[in-house]
Amino acid sequence: MKASMKLVSLLLLILLLAACGNSEASSDDTQNGEKTVVDYWHVNAETQGGQTVEELVKEFNESQDEIIVEPRYNSGMYQGLMQNLQAEAAAGNAPALVQIGWSYREYFSNNFHFIEPQEIIKNISEDEGYLEEKFLPNVLALAENNDGSQVGLPYSLSTPILYLNMDILNEAGVSPEDLTSWEAVKEAAKTISESTDNYGLYIAEAADNWNVQQLIESNDAAIINDGKAAFANEQGFEAYQLYADMITEDKSALHIGSDEGTQAFVTGDVGIAHLTIAQRKNISDNAAFEVSGVPSPAFDGEQLKVPAGGSLLAITTDDEEKQQAAWEFTKFLYEADSIAAWTEGTGYLPPTVDAVDNNDELKALMDEDTMMLSAYHQLENLVPWAPFPGGSGLQAEQLLIDMRDKILAGAPIEETMKATQEEINNLLQ
Amino acid sequence: MRTNSFLGILWHTIFILTVFILIFPIIFALGTSFKPLQEVYNNVLNIIPIAPTFDNYIGLFERLPMIQITMNTFTIATVVTIMKMLISFLAAYAFVYFDFKGKKFIYFIFIASIFIPFTVTMIPNYLIMSSWGLADSIFGVILPQISDAIGILLINQTMRSIPFSLIESARIDNISHSRIMIDIILPLIRPQLMSTGIWFFVNSWNEFVWPSLMLKSVDSYTLPLALQMFISAEGGTDLSVAMAVSIVTMIIPLLLYLVFQKYIIGTFTASGIK
Amino acid sequence: MKGIEFKNVKKAYGDTTIIENLNLKIHEGERLILLGPSGCGKSTMLRMIAGFEKITDGDLYMNANMVNEVPSGKRNVAMVFQNYALYPHMTAEENITYGLRRNKVNKQEIKRRLDSVVETLLLEPYLKRKPKDLSGGQRQRVALARAVVKESNFFLLDEPLSNLDAQLRVSARKELMNIHHTFKQTMVYVTHDQIEAMTFGERIALMNKGELQMLDTPENVYNRPVNIFTAKFIGSPPTNIMDMVYDNGKAIIGNQSFTFDTKWVKHIEASNATDFVFGIRPEHLQISKSPLENALKGKVKYVENQGDQYAVFIDMANSEVIAMSNSKDWNTDEVIFVQPMADHIHIFDKATTNSIGYPGV
Amino acid sequence: MNKNNTLHLNKINMKPWLFLTPVFIMFSLFVFWPLLYTFYLSFFDWNMVSPTKTFVGIDNYISVLTNPTTYKIFLNTLFFIGILLLINLVVPYIFAFVLHLILNRLKGFYKTAIFLPAFISLVVGSILFTWILNPISGPIAEIAGWFGIQLPIWSQTEGLVIVVISLITSWKVFGYNFIMLYASISGISEEIIEAARLDGVPLHRIFLDIILPVSSSAGVYILIMTIVQGLQFVYTPISVITQGGPNYASSNLIYQSYNEGFILYRTGHSAALSIMTLLVFAILLLIEFKFVERGVHYEN
């Protein structure tokens, strides 16, 4: 009997030991004494500027002694971060500053607490007019939700561009200057696939509808209009038809997942790739061929529209002191040099208007790199990532992905788009 | 046993091919982990790197708290293994050596729980851990992993191989149950327990889904989670570093296996499910 | 009373009753044999004494204490298991002393007991060996030693010799006898082997189908079986059993008759049975080719060599009987004379199968 | 006396419960209670953060059952089971038989090598295979290219995507099953097989008539484990490689529950689907027990 008690207490002892070991590892919070702690949640993996985040935070922490920022990487991109935010909320906590993916803007603002930057600025006279000085109106508007609240500030900005494998283009006799419209891209892709061993085009098929949105909205169709799905019209059909034809009819475009497709482009098996600008570093560092870039095209005679990828920065804490601290850190992140480092490290576009002019390296990058240049020039064409309202937005996005899969697998376009539109609108009611 | 040589050659060919398919990915990962990323993309077929480099490993240890991450993985796997073995051992002992009301039914309930897919308990466990403040703690990872009836099943099987009279002999000598466990059962089934333990350890070491839901900060990561830091939908996948992480992740399980393989295969073979 | 007592004990597993209603007293210090065919409940009884089996109903007393709910370890019994149950990972010495060490017997005492038992059982050369390095006989002795060192009042043996060859059994029995002589424990010994029972037991409890058939000395069990089962179970070849009709001082067996002496006549007539069964052991049948007085006639079927004697199978009065003979010269189908020895016949009541008793007792 | 009795009785009966206490606590907290809670959640509309859960009765079940995707995913699940059983029960069974009875040399090597991947993380395996099996630029595609063969784009091809994902999962599962089956087969007494050989029974008949029935309890164990755990293992390559796509062609019940719960935050839907998955498992197992166990030969 005694010995069995020993066994049971051994169990408890092991748990206890593990507890001690664990708490030692995570008990350094308390040493910071009087300083205000700002928990900053980001999604920047090591391949996506993780180091830059660390460096910026370090620089900020060393620049003053009031505030200490504690960065925390969240795996699984914006979706992973949202999961963690859910858990934290379920436990009754919230970080101070978080990156919110554009596609989660509505979901986040409907379900979580946030404070508008204007609320904070109101009390600080020196920051009056800060927002207007820093951001283009269309860029700032990206972070405004359907109810008109400013959820946060645009931070990571990406747009899709066309990456070009110049070796293949030269072999096929396609000139980058020709790629001015989607129709032209289709022709070029056809030429490439017919005259070389390679695929002509790859449009990223990530677990989102981002690239397709660029395609459709640049044919004057709208994914969403007045809070309702509105893509199932002639313009929309036409845009999708062009995409589907390249895959099913011309067989000039590659239809594959985004990891494999990006790999295929980098290894030199695809001529043109419609990918986020955030892939620039990965591609230019690893491709063995000459890479160039041109802006995403529109359809003939239509206005170019590029959806904003990336994230906004939202202040989520209730604590006023922390709100102030988070704001200080935010301003630091938007300083020209910080933005330059950010752009360099992540491949994202500078979200502020003054960064390029105030930082020589950034200016040089923008002037010399065709890919960066292409993306940067698209900023004036930026539109928000289809912000479906309410709690069903995530599901609406999922339906758009399903629609893409169906159409690219050969489903009739009109029917499928209409059905999806109807399904989404039923959801949104 | 003699068989005709054609059949033998045919089957040897099939076996060698199978072994190749199973082992090739590991060799491929090893080769890739010593390649610069550019070479990964452009020299797909060179398993042995043209320009071998340690940069992937060096960079990995510079960029991530790999020691901490390995320690986390080790701590979780060790605690899970010991706890799971202990509670399963106690339960199996009760099931094998006692008669009590409802024994069969209770045993059935536990064994049936093996059939519950992890998605069924995932959300509530997630909520429990969050509300206990154990999200992002190794405890949040450990606790649900301990509650796995496979341990009861396997140890129960093993215990049954001990002649009942040994326990009766001890009981008649007024030896307490705990003493019987320690002095008699434990030494007799130690090899099987070791193998089972190694198996649990490796499974917990490799566990991905639950830790990926639980653990948030890099400092509390486990090795399989470190892997995904080099895979990003937007920034691209750094395959060569990812493979370096993979190799680091594999080392302990493979060492355990190769050192104890005769022993592991031996006990798996000797005590197989009857 | 000291010793062990079963009082109205019942044992059932669910709906299956193993022992219906058992009453049995085992005296302090005696060697009691639990004998019976397999499945008769003898092992269950032993395991009830050991405390391994719960008693469904009734009471079990040991040293005058009711022990129904006393766990094994508190009953102070020693036991030798059929498969010896030696701990495979311990040496012989560790096996022998394990229980003592765990029960905090002091070191000198352990050494004293160990030395004593090692001497008695000649175990010195094997003490450092593990069971797998011991022969069957050596293992048996280690198991015995382990039980002996407990120096407990009750010593249970569950077919302890069944895994030994014939020669080893004889010497093992001698050792057991020795041990009992030295320690005077109450020994309860389960076996299905009647030779073991006869040679080792002071009393035999013969069991069948969960019921106690007879409890007595080996001599009485052999010579004065109380029922047909006992008569047939004990002795080899088994007792010959024939239906008979009593008619005026004679037993009519088939169409032949056997005349009882006056003692038997009185005894039979005094009994209240109506139908009888006649029993006689093979060694108590005299056979002859020439006529014998008060004999029955039978036809030889075949002869079986049993080493020292021959068993002659005889077709007699519609049943087969066996007689023992020193000669093998019996021809098949030869008609011979079979004479039961008057002092050794057994008469049973056919209805109850119980013996009607013996005259003059 | 009587008082004493009950005391003893309590003592005797308490012990197994004492030993079971840790298991009871752990399982109640992390298995049984969550199971009930999931059942409870399946009647609510909730997204895990909103403070209110809306009771919707069996709406979640109706919505799951009326969704054509559910049926597609259910059929996928059956397809996964079929392929997993083929690769991880039938093939290793034959392999174990062949290794035990036909091959004399390299036995130890084969056992060691085949079991080895079972010790490696499936996440690692999934990432590796995404690259190795990349149909455009992976090593296999490269080699196939020499012969002018173009690999199908499996990750976008209905049906094929399930096969390839099952193959990737099998990389990890195969070895364990093989070793367990080998254990059982090599435990069969040599005499039975020698007797059959003396009678001139051909090898495939020995396999079907002797090995299968005698080792069937191990077979059933592997069968059940392959279904129950295989479907859960498959989750990892799905989540790493296809996220269930294209258009749910590679999703199964387990992945879909995850997707609903942790990607779309439809907790109630996810719970309803999980409960139904559990039911499907229970039914599958019942069917198995009915049809497979019948012929099972158990030792002991």
Side-chain angles (χ1 to χ4, degrees):
Chain A
M1 197 66 187
K2 265 187 209 156
S4 48
M5 289 315 292
K6 276 182 208 160
L7 269 175
V8 174
S9 35
L10 180 64
L11 285 171
L12 295 173
L13 190 71
I14 291 169
L15 267 182
L16 210 74
L17 282 176
C20 294
N22 194 46
S23 60
E24 266 169 42
S26 59
S27 63
D28 47 3
D29 289 12
T30 47
Q31 296 167 359
N32 298 316
E34 299 298 301
K35 292 186 183 178
T36 310
V37 178
V38 172
D39 293 305
Y40 170 40
W41 284 16
H42 66 92
V43 301
N44 300 95
E46 291 297 305
T47 52
Q48 201 200 339
Q51 273 173 298
T52 310
V53 173
E54 298 285 335
E55 283 159 14
L56 286 173
V57 166
K58 197 168 165 227
E59 196 187 331
F60 177 76
N61 284 344
E62 282 168 3
S63 71
Q64 42 72 51
D65 49 14
E66 307 275 302
I67 301 163
I68 183 143
V69 175
E70 290 187 348
R72 186 199 209 182
Y73 167 71
N74 290 260
S75 63
M77 289 306 290
Y78 302 111
Q79 175 216 323
L81 185 141
M82 197 59 62
Q83 268 175 23
N84 297 343
L85 211 54
Q86 303 257 25
E88 204 77 351
N93 305 321
L97 187 66
V98 291
Q99 294 181 352
I100 300 296
W102 291 117
S103 58
Y104 287 89
R105 186 187 77 193
E106 292 304 308
Y107 183 80
F108 169 77
S109 66
N110 288 333
N111 288 290
F112 293 89
H113 175 79
F114 64 91
I115 179 149
E116 291 183 80
Q118 286 89 339
E119 282 289 301
I120 300 174
I121 295 174
K122 204 164 59 180
N123 305 321
I124 310 170
S125 52
E126 58 182 282
D127 288 343
E128 210 177 313
Y130 180 85
L131 300 179
E132 293 73 17
E133 280 165 32
K134 281 277 180 185
F135 301 97
L136 289 173
N138 70 325
V139 173
L140 189 60
L142 294 175
E144 198 176 298
N145 72 3
N146 292 342
D147 305 333
S149 306
Q150 190 76 35
V151 181
L153 296 177
Y155 186 45
S156 308
L157 271 191
S158 63
T159 59
I161 64 159
L162 292 180
Y163 291 88
L164 310 175
N165 179 332
M166 289 310 293
D167 295 4
I168 295 178
L169 261 61
N170 292 337
E171 190 190 337
V174 174
S175 157
E177 277 93 62
D178 299 343
L179 305 173
T180 49
S181 69
W182 273 113
E183 288 88 343
V185 170
K186 182 176 186 251
E187 280 313 306
K190 204 171 170 189
T191 313
I192 291 169
S193 65
E194 278 166 4
S195 59
T196 71
D197 284 344
N198 303 297
Y199 282 96
L201 174 71
Y202 174 65
I203 298 178
E205 292 175 32
D208 57 51
N209 191 51
W210 194 60
N211 298 67
V212 173
Q213 189 186 338
Q214 194 277 317
L215 190 76
I216 287 180
E217 298 207 330
S218 296
N219 195 28
D220 200 28
I223 294 290
I224 185 169
N225 196 3
D226 262 353
K228 288 207 162 258
F231 48 78
N233 53 32
E234 281 311 316
Q235 248 81 12
F237 303 152
E238 192 184 289
Y240 241 123
Q241 189 71 53
L242 176 119
Y243 184 13
D245 281 351
M246 283 192 278
I247 285 166
T248 50
E249 221 158 272
D250 296 356
K251 306 217 186 303
S252 60
L254 178 58
H255 171 38
I256 204 169
S258 67
D259 267 4
E260 295 159 298
T262 310
Q263 279 169 11
F265 181 73
V266 178
T267 54
D269 294 303
V270 182
I272 306 169
H274 188 250
L275 303 171
T276 167
I277 186 63
Q279 286 278 6
R280 181 188 63 94
K281 210 168 179 311
N282 181 30
I283 290 170
S284 55
D285 283 359
N286 297 309
F289 49 86
E290 189 198 331
V291 204
S292 182
V294 292
S296 288
F299 280 75
D300 260 339
E302 298 293 350
Q303 169 73 33
L304 172 66
K305 282 180 186 161
V306 285
S311 63
L312 59 93
L313 280 181
I315 295 174
T316 35
T317 177
D318 280 338
D319 184 316
E320 265 185 48
E321 201 180 335
K322 286 196 178 203
Q323 288 172 353
Q324 289 298 335
W327 175 245
E328 285 305 314
F329 178 58
T330 310
K331 281 200 296 186
F332 167 79
L333 290 180
Y334 286 112
E335 282 171 20
D337 290 350
S338 306
I339 290 293
W342 181 239
T343 303
E344 174 62 27
T346 59
Y348 284 122
L349 297 169
T352 53
V353 288
D354 58 343
V356 175
D357 295 335
N358 291 332
N359 185 290
D360 294 341
E361 280 167 48
L362 194 59
K363 194 165 170 52
L365 181 72
M366 289 300 161
D367 287 347
E368 284 156 26
D369 187 292
T370 52
M371 293 171 272
M372 215 56 189
L373 189 72
S374 308
Y376 191 53
H377 281 279
Q378 290 176 170
L379 278 190
E380 55 202 43
N381 304 93
L382 217 50
V383 293
W385 187 336
F388 287 105
S392 304
L394 301 174
Q395 218 190 323
E397 180 87 9
Q398 180 65 48
L399 287 169
L400 291 176
I401 299 168
D402 299 346
M403 177 174 82
R404 178 191 70 201
D405 287 346
K406 285 179 199 162
I407 292 176
L408 297 188
I413 292 172
E414 286 198 31
E415 229 171 88
T416 313
M417 290 179 80
K418 278 181 184 157
T420 304
Q421 172 165 310
E422 197 185 322
E423 207 175 335
I424 291 177
N425 286 335
N426 283 340
L427 261 179
L428 297 181
Q429 273 168 10
Chain B
M1 216 169 270
R2 235 168 281 130
T3 42
N4 74 56
S5 58
F6 170 74
L7 204 61
I9 290 168
L10 179 74
W11 276 108
H12 272 295
T13 315
I14 294 173
F15 267 77
I16 300 254
L17 209 67
T18 308
V19 167
F20 177 78
I21 291 170
L22 292 173
I23 302 299
F24 174 75
I26 301 163
I27 296 163
F28 187 80
L30 193 67
T32 305
S33 74
F34 290 104
K35 286 179 179 176
L37 186 56
Q38 212 175 13
E39 200 185 314
V40 176
Y41 281 116
N42 297 306
N43 300 78
V44 173
L45 289 175
N46 288 46
I47 289 167
I48 297 166
I50 301 166
T53 169
F54 279 100
D55 285 357
N56 299 323
Y57 289 94
I58 295 168
L60 175 62
F61 277 83
E62 277 172 2
R63 284 146 83 178
L64 289 184
M66 284 304 283
I67 307 284
Q68 175 74 40
I69 290 174
T70 310
M71 279 309 294
N72 293 340
T73 320
F74 187 81
T75 311
I76 290 173
T78 308
V79 176
V80 165
T81 305
I82 294 175
M83 295 288 287
K84 197 153 118 182
M85 295 294 284
L86 262 175
I87 70 165
S88 308
F89 184 85
L90 289 175
Y93 186 87
F95 284 126
V96 175
Y97 297 112
F98 284 98
D99 267 317
F100 50 91
K101 235 188 165 125
K103 174 167 119 167
K104 278 191 176 158
F105 177 72
I106 294 168
Y107 185 69
F108 173 79
I109 292 289
F110 278 119
I111 297 308
S113 78
I114 293 173
F115 303 131
I116 301 176
F118 69 84
T119 45
V120 174
T121 53
M122 182 175 63
I123 292 173
N125 271 335
Y126 188 76
L127 296 173
I128 290 174
M129 292 308 156
S130 301
S131 65
W132 289 1
L134 292 182
D136 201 27
S137 129
I138 60 168
F139 278 106
V141 180
I142 288 171
L143 288 173
Q145 276 192 62
I146 295 171
S147 318
D148 172 10
I150 273 282
I152 301 176
L153 180 79
L154 292 178
I155 296 177
N156 191 61
Q157 289 272 358
T158 315
M159 268 189 198
R160 280 177 193 283
S161 66
I162 300 173
F164 214 83
S165 56
L166 291 191
I167 280 68
E168 288 179 340
S169 171
R171 289 302 294 152
I172 214 173
D173 283 348
N174 196 27
I175 313 287
S176 68
H177 285 292
S178 349
R179 268 291 151 204
I180 292 177
M181 289 180 200
I182 295 165
D183 288 350
I184 298 169
I185 312 246
L186 218 50
L188 285 180
I189 58 173
R190 187 179 290 140
Q192 289 93 326
L193 289 182
M194 284 276 291
S195 297
T196 311
I198 290 174
W199 185 243
F200 288 169
F201 182 89
V202 168
N203 284 342
S204 173
W205 183 278
N206 289 332
E207 180 63 41
F208 174 69
V209 183
W210 185 246
S212 74
L213 284 179
M214 271 297 111
L215 300 177
K216 319 291 185 204
S217 53
V218 176
D219 282 333
S220 60
Y221 265 20
T222 62
L223 285 169
L225 297 193
L227 189 54
Q228 56 176 20
M229 296 201 68
F230 299 92
I231 298 158
S232 155
E234 286 208 38
T237 299
D238 191 333
L239 252 175
S240 38
V241 182
M243 285 307 112
V245 187
S246 301
I247 295 295
V248 174
T249 309
M250 281 179 214
I251 287 175
I252 298 283
L254 283 190
L255 272 184
L256 273 177
Y257 176 58
L258 293 174
V259 170
F260 293 104
Q261 53 125 333
K262 278 241 160 78
Y263 192 60
I264 292 169
I265 291 179
T267 49
F268 265 92
T269 315
S271 71
I273 297 292
K274 295 273 163 61
Chain C
M1 66 161 262
K2 294 257 181 173
I4 302 166
E5 182 175 2
F6 288 86
K7 246 188 195 166
N8 302 321
V9 167
K10 178 182 172 180
K11 175 72 195 176
Y13 297 101
D15 293 339
T16 328
T17 304
I18 306 291
I19 290 168
E20 184 64 60
N21 183 11
L22 179 76
N23 286 287
L24 170 68
K25 287 181 186 173
I26 302 169
H27 305 314
E28 185 186 8
E30 78 167 324
R31 297 192 302 272
L32 181 98
I33 307 286
L34 285 175
L35 179 68
S38 56
C40 70
K42 57 188 190 297
S43 285
T44 309
M45 286 168 66
L46 194 74
R47 293 171 59 78
M48 285 196 279
I49 300 172
F52 300 149
E53 301 281 358
K54 277 205 171 146
I55 290 163
T56 312
D57 204 0
D59 295 324
L60 176 68
Y61 291 89
M62 293 170 77
N63 276 349
N65 296 318
M66 211 267 266
V67 295
N68 288 22
E69 301 294 343
V70 177
S72 298
K74 305 285 184 209
R75 295 188 183 194
N76 194 22
V77 295
M79 181 156 172
V80 179
F81 291 81
Q82 183 172 9
N83 62 3
Y84 314 137
L86 295 179
Y87 309 122
H89 57 298
M90 297 185 194
T91 63
E93 180 176 343
E94 285 164 348
N95 259 292
I96 294 169
T97 58
Y98 175 67
L100 301 180
R101 281 181 286 133
R102 282 293 169 237
N103 282 292
K104 307 240 160 43
V105 175
N106 77 48
K107 281 197 176 127
Q108 288 89 8
E109 177 65 13
I110 294 179
K111 186 164 172 13
R112 184 191 66 73
R113 295 197 200 173
L114 177 69
D115 288 348
S116 145
V117 73
V118 162
E119 197 181 334
T120 319
L121 291 167
L122 305 170
L123 281 170
E124 186 62 44
Y126 316 119
L127 283 181
K128 299 297 172 208
R129 293 199 200 161
K130 290 197 172 166
K132 66 172 176 357
D133 301 320
L134 296 172
S135 71
Q138 290 157 355
R139 283 181 207 172
Q140 197 265 349
R141 265 145 66 199
V142 174
L144 213 53
R146 185 174 66 182
V148 167
V149 292
K150 262 188 104 173
E151 300 191 350
S152 56
N153 299 334
F154 303 103
F155 202 93
L156 311 180
L157 301 108
D158 188 4
E159 311 221 11
L161 310 182
S162 63
N163 291 337
L164 300 181
D165 60 41
Q167 278 179 334
L168 273 174
R169 283 186 199 196
V170 176
S171 60
R173 272 206 301 268
K174 223 167 67 195
E175 274 157 10
L176 275 176
M177 210 68 109
N178 240 333
I179 287 164
H180 187 250
H181 191 78
T182 316
F183 295 101
K184 300 272 188 293
Q185 314 98 322
T186 308
M187 272 194 181
V188 183
Y189 185 119
V190 165
T191 182
H192 62 270
D193 182 316
Q194 46 165 310
I195 309 282
E196 249 170 67
M198 302 304 263
T199 49
F200 187 72
E202 288 178 325
R203 287 200 301 158
I204 293 172
L206 181 66
M207 300 288 300
N208 187 37
K209 292 180 182 160
E211 278 175 38
L212 180 62
Q213 303 290 324
M214 184 171 183
L215 172 67
D216 212 326
T217 60
E219 292 72 26
N220 284 342
V221 169
Y222 185 83
N223 293 323
R224 307 193 156 199
V226 295
N227 53 26
I228 297 180
F229 175 82
T230 309
K232 286 189 79 163
F233 188 83
I234 303 286
S236 171
T239 304
N240 298 304
I241 298 290
M242 291 160 276
D243 281 347
M244 68 166 242
V245 174
Y246 177 75
D247 179 25
N248 203 16
K250 284 181 184 151
I252 312 294
I253 297 166
N255 51 9
Q256 308 187 56
S257 71
F258 168 82
T259 312
F260 289 110
D261 58 22
T262 45
K263 275 188 302 182
W264 269 113
V265 170
K266 271 191 202 158
H267 191 72
I268 293 170
E269 286 178 351
S271 85
N272 41 19
T274 49
D275 293 312
F276 299 93
V277 171
F278 184 93
I280 184 90
R281 291 194 181 278
E283 55 269 42
H284 299 143
L285 284 177
Q286 275 204 314
I287 49 175
S288 162
K289 298 188 181 198
S290 50
L292 290 170
E293 188 192 340
N294 200 14
L296 306 163
K297 272 191 271 183
K299 203 194 264 177
V300 175
K301 280 168 75 188
Y302 63 95
V303 180
E304 198 179 86
N305 186 346
Q306 298 213 323
D308 52 341
Q309 280 190 310
Y310 296 88
V312 184
F313 289 74
I314 303 160
D315 206 353
M316 190 177 86
N318 303 326
S319 51
E320 183 185 85
V321 297
I322 305 167
M324 299 308 288
S325 164
N326 291 323
S327 153
K328 66 170 179 178
D329 296 328
W330 305 97
N331 303 320
T332 305
D333 288 343
E334 185 180 7
V335 174
I336 57 165
F337 295 88
V338 183
Q339 180 199 45
M341 297 178 184
D343 291 346
H344 293 287
I345 58 181
H346 311 280
I347 304 295
F348 305 97
D349 178 341
K350 190 174 181 186
T352 61
T353 79
N354 286 336
S355 166
I356 62 164
Y358 298 88
V361 178
Chain D
M1 201 79 192
N2 255 334
K3 209 174 126 203
N4 251 335
N5 273 353
T6 43
L7 233 165
H8 279 304
L9 207 77
N10 283 338
K11 247 187 186 169
I12 288 170
N13 287 339
M14 276 304 288
K15 274 193 185 146
W17 298 108
L18 180 75
F19 294 142
L20 286 171
T21 309
V23 149
F24 268 127
I25 294 175
M26 294 305 290
F27 276 68
S28 308
L29 284 175
F30 304 115
V31 181
F32 301 134
W33 163 248
L35 179 67
L36 290 177
Y37 197 71
T38 296
F39 188 62
Y40 166 82
L41 284 179
S42 70
F43 299 105
F44 290 85
D45 182 16
W46 191 44
N47 67 0
M48 281 177 83
V49 272
S50 91
T52 52
K53 306 181 181 79
T54 321
F55 181 77
V56 294
I58 57 166
D59 279 7
N60 289 326
Y61 288 92
I62 292 172
S63 141
V64 167
L65 283 174
T66 50
N67 187 350
T69 309
T70 307
Y71 296 94
K72 179 166 188 181
I73 285 165
F74 179 69
L75 287 178
N76 285 349
T77 306
L78 292 182
F79 192 26
F80 267 118
I81 290 176
I83 295 186
L84 285 174
L85 286 180
L86 183 71
I87 311 174
N88 296 303
L89 179 67
V90 178
V91 177
Y93 228 127
I94 296 170
F95 268 47
F97 171 73
V98 168
L99 187 66
H100 182 57
L101 279 179
I102 299 181
L103 302 181
N104 308 318
R105 266 177 284 168
L106 291 173
K107 275 192 185 190
F109 167 74
Y110 289 147
K111 275 189 274 179
T112 306
I114 290 175
F115 198 16
L116 190 120
F119 285 75
I120 299 174
S121 147
L122 195 51
V123 188
V124 171
S126 303
I127 291 167
L128 265 168
F129 278 108
T130 318
W131 179 231
I132 292 174
L133 297 177
N134 185 317
I136 309 297
S137 50
I140 293 178
E142 198 95 338
I143 293 170
W146 297 346
F147 304 98
I149 301 165
Q150 224 180 356
L151 296 187
I153 295 176
W154 56 268
S155 61
Q156 299 296 331
T157 311
E158 293 224 6
L160 190 59
V161 64
I162 290 184
V163 175
V164 176
I165 285 182
S166 300
L167 278 168
I168 294 172
T169 311
S170 305
W171 176 70
K172 183 175 173 71
V173 179
F174 187 88
Y176 178 82
N177 291 3
F178 167 75
I179 287 291
M180 290 310 254
L181 291 168
Y182 180 81
S184 176
I185 288 180
S186 61
I188 296 172
S189 109
E190 289 285 326
E191 284 124 28
I192 306 181
I193 295 160
E194 274 164 14
R197 293 203 151 208
L198 280 178
D199 292 345
V201 179
L203 277 173
H204 70 276
R205 277 280 139 214
I206 292 186
F207 180 71
L208 293 174
D209 297 344
I210 299 172
I211 302 287
L212 267 188
V214 176
S215 63
S216 55
S217 48
V220 169
Y221 171 77
I222 293 299
L223 178 84
I224 292 171
M225 281 303 172
T226 306
I227 295 179
V228 172
Q229 305 218 298
L231 283 182
Q232 305 188 49
F233 272 133
V234 159
Y235 165 87
T236 303
I238 295 177
S239 104
V240 172
I241 303 171
T242 65
Q243 291 87 45
N247 192 25
Y248 306 100
S250 64
S251 190
N252 70 7
L253 288 170
I254 299 213
Y255 183 79
Q256 187 61 12
S257 307
Y258 178 88
N259 192 50
E260 292 274 0
F262 284 91
I263 294 180
L264 302 176
Y265 303 116
R266 302 206 295 169
T267 310
H269 269 83
S270 171
L273 193 61
S274 292
I275 293 295
M276 277 159 33
T277 309
L278 190 60
L279 272 177
V280 170
F281 270 33
I283 292 168
L284 280 177
L285 290 171
L286 270 180
I287 294 174
E288 253 169 49
F289 275 106
K290 219 164 167 96
F291 290 96
V292 185
E293 286 275 290
R294 200 189 277 156
V296 170
H297 166 100
Y298 281 108
E299 295 173 52
N300 310 334

